[in-house]
Amino acid sequence: MRISGLATGMDTESIINDLMKAEKIPLDKMEQDKKKIEWQRDKFREINTLRQKIDDMAFDMQLSKTFKTKSVHSSMENAVTATGGANAPEGTYKIEVTQLATSAINVSADIKVDPEANLFSEMGYTDTQSFTLTTFDKNGKAVNFDYEIKQGDTLKDVIKRINDDDNNIRMFYDENTNKVIMETTRTGKYNLNEQGNEIEFDSSADSVFKSIFRMSRANEKGGTNAKFKYNDAYEIETKENNYTLNGINFEFKNTTDGVPATVTLTNDIDATVDHIKEFVEKYNELIDLMNKTQREEKYRDFPPLTEEQKKELEEREIELWEEKAKSGILRGDSIITSALTNLRQNWYQSVDTGGEYNVISQIGITTTKDYLDGGKIEINEEKLKEALQKDPDSVYKLFAGSGDKKGIMDHLDDSLETMKTKINERAGRSSDTLSNYTLGKRIKDIDTRMNDFQNRLQQIETRYWRQFTAMEKAISTMNNQSAMLMNNFFQ
């Protein structure tokens, strides 16, 4: 039972609250220490997230396609286009397309049955009816697909059954014209019989397929291969409207009407420069973030705010305070300082490319002259383009290496991996428990000490209330005795 000032008139609760504020000072200090460690952890993880993006981009910088992107121009964009792989040779090519590859298609006569009615009733069937569709594999071998029409089936049911099969056939009913359209889902001529159809079926007058779908094999159109001539000499036939020659994939959109299209492939230097610039920009972003942690001023008079302190401040005041409190929390940290040094040194590595360029500065890529930048990279675009024009293979090997010879990106990847390991040991990942990393263990230790201290505070507060309550009871007793004596004295 807590008695608050009934005998003394004292505001016991305020007095005890003030006493407890003094008792809580060590707890507030622990809360501030914990918050500071959490800020350090979060900043490490922010750096690690950006580091991972750089690492992913570094992988792309080791691919030949990054440095050997091809620019393609066609004199007949509406007829022939092309794409070139990294190893496709530069040059000019003539492509004369005389025939496009087409799908086979067959259109029925007018359907006489209701597409949603029971075919047994419509056709007067009494037994299950069967029919076979035949297509051809890539070797020209016939492949049969057998189907049945059962009691209750509609025309649409049978069409769906054909479409659901893996038969290279697509079929549908056009309600506007009351016709069925059947076509192959691939282009090209697969039936080795020059006069044969791509979709074979029994179209005799008394056949099930003829009577229901009202189709004739004679109506099939298409099913042709593409035909083209390469550089006025090499004639090629292909089942699709594209063909790859010497690393170049030609796409056919139309015939060229007897005049060959001219397709020109050149190295797309601008695309390569853009790739390098994008990487450097992201890399510099990481250097900026890390370098800032080492150059921030540390404000020792601005510790993290406790929850109680935040209640007394405006939101803007909290924001400004914490901006100073967070400043410099990683200043002088060995992980950051060593990483900045290692990352900077990678760009000075010599690489035996066997070509024109062996160091990155020769192609216009250097670290900035201002040491305060922390090792940021700058690019001389004119010099880089000149190097890519003169010896693109050497530039590629400078970044990616060759065989067992490491390139700049290999060295950079080693530094980023070392940095990742150290940060994970110190600050962990979002999925890690507190026990799995150094800062987490410190947070866990503080949590334990805070819980113990809170239990102690509860005991202290209980003791204060017990003491004040005892005082109130004693004074109340004395007041009662005094009042009784006074009453007896004046009687």
Side-chain angles (χ1 to χ4, degrees):
M1 178 179 178
R2 292 180 173 180
I3 300 175
S4 179
L6 293 177
T8 63
M10 297 168 58
D11 187 354
T12 307
E13 186 169 357
S14 295
I15 294 172
I16 292 177
N17 285 341
D18 289 338
L19 289 170
M20 291 306 298
K21 284 181 181 178
E23 297 285 353
K24 285 179 62 178
I25 290 175
L27 182 65
D28 292 340
K29 180 65 170 60
M30 284 187 274
E31 183 181 340
Q32 290 171 324
D33 289 343
K34 177 183 176 182
K35 178 57 68 175
K36 189 174 181 180
I37 293 171
E38 288 175 338
W39 285 344
Q40 290 175 335
R41 177 195 63 189
D42 294 343
K43 179 58 71 173
F44 270 124
R45 289 182 179 179
E46 180 186 353
I47 291 170
N48 210 17
T49 297
L50 186 53
R51 180 213 60 80
Q52 184 59 54
K53 292 179 181 178
I54 304 299
D55 204 9
D56 293 339
M57 294 177 72
F59 175 79
D60 291 336
M61 293 296 291
Q62 293 176 290
L63 302 177
S64 60
K65 67 178 184 180
T66 302
F67 296 86
K68 300 177 182 179
T69 303
K70 293 297 185 292
S71 175
V72 181
H73 173 73
S74 172
S75 63
M76 296 185 188
E77 293 284 346
N78 64 330
V80 182
T81 59
T83 54
N87 296 319
E90 294 183 87
T92 300
Y93 308 90
K94 292 182 180 180
I95 302 294
E96 181 182 351
V97 182
T98 56
Q99 178 175 291
L100 290 178
T102 61
S103 300
I105 185 170
N106 199 325
V107 180
S108 74
D110 290 348
I111 299 300
K112 294 184 177 181
V113 298
D114 183 343
E116 297 184 358
N118 186 333
L119 287 174
F120 269 54
S121 300
E122 292 281 296
M123 304 300 296
Y125 295 145
T126 56
D127 298 316
T128 298
Q129 304 294 307
S130 301
F131 66 91
T132 299
L133 295 178
T134 301
T135 59
F136 301 85
D137 65 16
K138 63 182 181 180
N139 298 315
K141 182 180 178 181
V143 182
N144 296 326
F145 298 90
D146 298 321
Y147 301 96
E148 291 183 339
I149 302 173
K150 303 175 184 178
Q151 176 62 257
D153 281 345
T154 66
L155 180 68
K156 289 187 175 181
D157 290 334
V158 179
I159 289 175
K160 183 178 185 306
R161 201 170 296 148
I162 293 172
N163 286 337
D164 289 345
D165 211 348
D166 185 17
N167 52 20
N168 297 308
I169 297 173
R170 176 172 54 236
M171 201 172 191
F172 63 94
Y173 171 72
D174 183 3
E175 296 179 355
N176 297 311
T177 60
N178 197 32
K179 297 180 186 295
V180 170
I181 293 86
M182 180 171 65
E183 57 189 340
T184 55
T185 56
R186 61 190 180 185
T187 58
K189 180 69 174 174
Y190 286 82
N191 190 343
L192 297 182
N193 179 359
E194 191 63 31
Q195 304 304 318
N197 287 18
E198 288 302 298
I199 307 175
E200 298 277 15
F201 55 88
D202 184 359
S203 63
S204 60
D206 59 348
S207 69
V208 173
F209 200 83
K210 174 70 174 180
S211 59
I212 296 177
F213 291 99
R214 295 178 56 76
M215 279 189 173
S216 170
R217 285 184 300 177
N219 287 339
E220 182 179 287
K221 307 294 183 185
T224 59
N225 292 335
K227 296 179 180 180
F228 72 100
K229 185 183 291 186
Y230 172 79
N231 282 349
D232 296 328
Y234 184 32
E235 295 185 3
I236 303 170
E237 187 170 330
T238 173
K239 292 180 171 58
E240 299 176 342
N241 286 313
N242 62 79
Y243 196 86
T244 300
L245 276 172
N246 199 19
I248 306 169
N249 185 50
F250 296 99
E251 297 278 347
F252 312 129
K253 300 178 180 179
N254 209 334
T255 57
T256 57
D257 296 328
V259 179
T262 301
V263 179
T264 305
L265 264 74
T266 56
N267 283 328
D268 191 346
I269 293 175
D270 288 337
T272 301
V273 171
D274 287 343
H275 283 304
I276 295 173
K277 286 172 61 178
E278 183 182 1
F279 174 79
V280 167
E281 285 172 6
K282 187 61 68 174
Y283 175 85
N284 285 344
E285 186 180 335
L286 175 64
I287 298 301
D288 264 340
L289 179 60
M290 295 169 64
N291 195 38
K292 183 181 177 183
T293 66
Q294 302 309 297
R295 300 186 61 78
E296 288 176 335
E297 186 174 349
K298 184 176 287 189
Y299 298 93
R300 301 185 185 280
D301 294 333
F302 287 82
L305 294 169
T306 64
E307 293 303 318
E308 290 297 323
Q309 290 170 332
K310 287 182 179 180
K311 292 177 183 178
E312 299 174 3
L313 298 175
E314 298 292 333
E315 186 174 338
R316 179 57 179 165
E317 291 176 318
I318 295 173
E319 183 180 336
L320 292 172
W321 183 283
E322 290 196 339
E323 185 177 315
K324 288 184 177 296
K326 290 180 179 180
S327 180
I329 57 173
L330 294 184
R331 185 166 183 170
D333 183 87
S334 60
I335 293 178
I336 305 301
T337 56
S338 63
L340 283 169
T341 300
N342 291 336
L343 290 172
R344 184 188 299 111
Q345 289 175 346
N346 291 324
W347 297 96
Y348 301 122
Q349 297 287 342
S350 176
V351 181
D352 182 9
T353 65
E356 184 77 17
Y357 310 108
N358 296 313
V359 291
I360 206 78
S361 59
Q362 291 175 319
I363 64 172
I365 299 176
T366 59
T367 56
T368 60
K369 295 179 180 179
D370 188 349
Y371 77 95
L372 295 177
D373 284 341
K376 289 172 64 176
I377 301 301
E378 59 185 4
I379 301 175
N380 181 328
E381 285 193 40
E382 184 177 340
K383 196 171 182 180
L384 176 59
K385 288 181 178 180
E386 181 182 338
L388 287 167
Q389 185 71 45
K390 187 174 183 180
D391 190 354
D393 190 60
S394 178
V395 175
Y396 163 61
K397 290 179 180 178
L398 190 56
F399 278 89
S402 178
D404 59 352
K405 300 172 184 176
K406 286 187 173 183
I408 298 296
M409 291 299 107
D410 292 307
H411 292 291
L412 185 65
D413 186 62
D414 290 342
S415 296
L416 292 172
E417 192 63 28
T418 299
M419 180 179 164
K420 170 187 173 182
T421 301
K422 290 182 177 180
I423 290 179
N424 285 344
E425 289 174 354
R426 177 78 63 83
R429 296 159 293 190
S430 58
S431 59
D432 287 342
T433 61
L434 293 177
S435 301
N436 287 346
Y437 56 97
T438 304
L439 293 180
K441 292 175 182 177
R442 291 174 59 186
I443 292 172
K444 187 176 181 180
D445 177 64
I446 293 175
D447 283 338
T448 301
R449 288 192 286 121
M450 287 177 68
N451 287 333
D452 292 342
F453 198 82
Q454 284 170 338
N455 290 335
R456 180 184 170 190
L457 289 175
Q458 192 171 7
Q459 293 172 359
I460 292 172
E461 185 177 8
T462 300
R463 190 186 75 222
Y464 279 142
W465 274 106
R466 187 169 60 248
Q467 291 171 338
F468 275 94
T469 299
M471 181 185 72
E472 291 286 345
K473 287 180 178 180
I475 293 175
S476 177
T477 300
M478 292 174 60
N479 287 340
N480 289 336
Q481 290 175 347
S482 176
M484 183 177 66
L485 289 172
M486 290 296 292
N487 288 336
N488 289 335
F489 181 78
F490 288 106
Q491 285 181 354

